[in-house]
Amino acid sequence: MSDLEQAFAQAQQDVKALTKRPSDDEMLKLYALYKQASSGDISGKRPGMLDMVGRAKYDAWAKVSGLDRNDAMESYINTVKSLVSSSG
């Protein structure tokens, strides 16, 4: 496992230990960056109008589509670091 992958795994643990829940926008950003880093570009159809949560997640992931896996990991790590420092 590379240093980046280890830092990414640690960031996933750190986000679970946050004392203050991130805002919905921050949660969507984390979700999108995590999915981009772990699964790559989004695929499948956009959820229907009645699935507002699914639609928000799909749209957030679609915004980072095309982002390199390593760049997505770095963005995720940096986002978690800023959340940890602001909640501490």
Side-chain angles (χ1 to χ4, degrees):
M1 186 182 279
S2 74
D3 288 344
L4 181 60
E5 290 170 326
Q6 287 177 339
F8 182 61
Q10 182 60 51
Q12 292 171 51
Q13 295 303 312
D14 292 347
V15 82
K16 292 176 186 173
L18 288 173
T19 55
K20 182 178 140 201
R21 185 185 186 282
S23 71
D24 290 344
D25 287 341
E26 291 165 332
M27 292 292 282
L28 283 171
K29 180 179 181 181
L30 288 171
Y31 171 82
L33 291 170
Y34 173 81
K35 292 296 280 184
Q36 187 67 21
S38 60
S39 302
D41 289 345
I42 195 165
S43 61
K45 294 171 71 172
R46 187 176 188 221
M49 285 182 10
L50 298 178
D51 183 1
M52 290 187 273
V53 172
R55 242 173 128 89
K57 287 180 170 182
Y58 184 95
D59 292 345
W61 188 3
K63 284 181 186 174
V64 296
S65 189
L67 187 64
D68 178 72
R69 179 176 187 262
N70 289 343
D71 291 340
M73 278 194 235
E74 287 175 9
S75 292
Y76 182 92
I77 293 163
N78 291 333
T79 301
V80 171
K81 282 181 183 176
S82 72
L83 290 171
V84 167
S85 67
S86 69
S87 74

